[in-house]
Structure formats: structure tokens, C-alpha cells
Amino acid sequence: MTPRTALSAAATPPWRLARSAWPWRSLVYLAAGLVPAALPMALLVAIELLRPGRTALIGLLVAALLIVVAAGPLIAGFDRRRLRLVDTRPLPARPPLRLREPGTWREIGYAVLSACVAWWLDVAVVLLSLLPPLMLMSAPLQPSGPGAELPAGPWFAAMLCAAGFVMLPFAAYPITAWAGARAAIARAVLAPTDTDLVEVMRSRERLAAGFDSERRRIERDLHDGAQQRLVALSVTLGLARLQVADEHAVAPLLDDAKQQTAAALAELRELIRGVHPQVLSDRGLAAAIRDIAGRSPVPVELDLRLNGRLPAPVEVTAYFAVNEALANLARHSRAAGGRVAAWTQDRRLVLEVHDDGAGGADPARGTGLTGLADRAAAVGGRLLLASPPGGPTLLRVELPCER
């Protein structure tokens, strides 16, 4: 299995690690840590050259610290980008930068440590790892080395050089491991995630996707199986009725059987539409919402600004949200009219259902709103409800999409 982080690459055999790009990527990652350290290094050079007094020195230190704190979000953004060198796993979206957000202060604290402390450790690890093999490799070039004094000096210098070449691949281990550890710390601070919560969300998404797939399978089986048999039965009964005279005793029974078959077929079609509407799969969300509104006993005004198809989980969730909202509108709201609006904005589908009814909708009373909220949360969205006693009622659903 190909390693996705430098830390996991450090656990591979030496010959595999030496042939991979991970040591070089780790070296570049650690060297890039000198960029945030530019200000502290410039401060050290200024102190060495100017040799200021105690008061001026304190002023310089405070000014440098304030600059680093102010540049904290920029340094954190740079570290998130260079993290890709040693950690190829995707990072979660960066939270908004606000002073009241804990993530902003985590970034500032990390920037101060990265610019003032961590780069010293990076330089120390790189030097301690590379200096011994490089010194041994340069033995033949050292005029004061053993070769200048001993008769077997050239051979001894060649042996030292060979030992340096042998040791050099092993230097990849501490460099790669330290870069991986630094990246793990950076990810934990700059992009913290709750592993258990992420797994729960993924499990819920899998369950929702599996549930939708099962609904579609049931819809196909009913549409292609039971419905076709009822249609064939209705045709057979009609043909049989044509063969029987009106005054025959069997004629009323055949007429009644044909009517019952037609009623069963209508109920089955309504059931199929409730399981998973074919119009949603064939023509998209806008057409499916028009179909719901057309069958509503309460007049519904539509404002649909949707162009093209949306991701299937988003369309299914939005469809059932409208279906449940209009069903509640017809059954409980005592409204004279309703309005459904849908549009995309900032890569989100926004869906609003208004009515002028009595209000007072309560998810705890089993109106299906709790299930809709769970379904919206399963695809990363949310459901908002405003329904004061006396009305009006507004149901708003926001679902992320790639549009």
C-alpha cells in the first residue's frame, strides 16, 4: 500500500524509502519552515549588528512578536499549503477567520511557535542527520585528514568516503520521521477533526445512500412488475367484458372487477411515486416539484431557478422535503395558498416553502420534520423552521452541492 504521509513512509524498509520521493519532500518541507522564521532571523541579525540597549532590545522583541501575531493567519495558511508535501490526505475546509473563533487563536499560537521555536528543531534534525555522512564522504578532500600522515592514507580515506555513502540513505529516516511528526502536529492544530464524529457522519451518509438505493430498487420492481401485471389484468378484463352481453349475469361482476383493478392501479402508481418518483430520475428536481405542486389540493405558487441537474442525494432530499412540506400544508395548516422557491447560491441549494396557514408546526408532533432534518444533515445540509402560532410558516432547507 502506498504511504500517504511521511510518517507512514518512515516505517517502510530502507531500500524502499531511499528510492522514494519522501526523503526529498520531507527535506523541502523542513527547509520551507525557514520562511516563517525570516522575521526572527532578521531580528537576530539586527541585534548583532546594532547591539541596542536594554530598552531598545525589549522594544524590538515586542514589535517582532506583534508582527508575528498579526501575520499568524498568513503563516498558518502557508503551513497548510506546505503540509501537502508530506501529507497527501485532503484537509478540511478552513474555518472563517474571526477573533472570536478558537481556530483563529490556534493558528496564531501555532504561527508564533513555528516562527520562533520549531525552525530551530528542523535545522538541528537536518544537520545532525546529514552532517556525519557528508563529513565522511568528504574525507578524500580534506588535506589534514588521515591520508596526509599515514602510508595507507588514501585507502583509509576511500573507506571513510564509502562509509559516508552507506550512511547517507539512513539519514532519510530521521528527516522523514521528523517531518512526518511536524506535519501531524500541524494537522492536529490547524485542521482538527473528531475521528469518531467523522466516522459517524460517514456511516450516516452510507446508510442514507443505501436507503435511497433500496427505494429505487423497490420502485423499479413495482413499476416493472406489479404495475405491468395490473395493466395486463385490466386489459384482459376489458376484452372479457367485450365478449359478454350487457344482460348477462357476469357483466356487472366484470365491470366491478375492472373498476377495482383501475383503483388498485391508481393506488399502486401513487405508492410508486411516494417510494421514488420516476419524474425525479428522468427530468430532475424542478419537474418533480412541479409534479407535486400540480397534485396539491392547495394552490401553490412556484419560483424555481434551477438550471440543469443537481447531485442525486441533493435532489432526493429536496424532493422529499417539498413533498412533506406540501403534505403538511394540505393536512394541518388550513392555508389558502402556498409558495415554493428553489435556487442555487454559493454552491448550496436553497429551498423555501411558505404558507399562509395557522402556523404552530412542531416537529415533536410527528409531522415528519425530524426525519427531514436528519436526512438533510446526512448530506451536510440543515433544515430551518419558523412557524409561530397564527402563522405564517416558513420551511427552509439548505443543501451543499457542486453547482
Side-chain angles (χ1 to χ4, degrees), residues 2 29 111 123 148-149 163 175 192 208 226 239 258 271 282 299 322 360 385 387 392 395:
T2 305
Y29 173 78
V123 171
E149 299 177 0
I175 293 175
L239 293 175
K258 193 171 187 307
L271 175 63
D282 295 342
V322 175
L385 176 66
S387 183
L395 176 71

Side-chain angles (χ1 to χ4, degrees), residues 214-229 268 272 275:
E214 187 65 16
R215 291 174 72 106
R216 294 187 182 188
R217 185 190 66 79
I218 295 173
E219 183 269 334
R220 287 194 301 268
D221 291 344
L222 291 176
H223 183 274
D224 299 336
Q227 180 177 248
Q228 299 304 320
R229 290 181 180 276
L268 181 61
I272 292 173
V275 171

Side-chain angles (χ1 to χ4, degrees), residues 8 57 75 217 223 346 357 396:
S8 58
L57 178 60
I75 296 175
R217 185 190 66 79
H223 183 274
D346 297 332
R396 180 183 175 97

Side-chain angles (χ1 to χ4, degrees), residues 266-289:
E267 291 179 1
L268 181 61
R269 285 171 176 166
E270 189 66 25
L271 175 63
I272 292 173
R273 189 181 293 112
V275 171
H276 187 84
Q278 190 67 29
V279 65
L280 180 64
S281 300
D282 295 342
R283 299 171 55 194
L285 180 60
I289 293 177

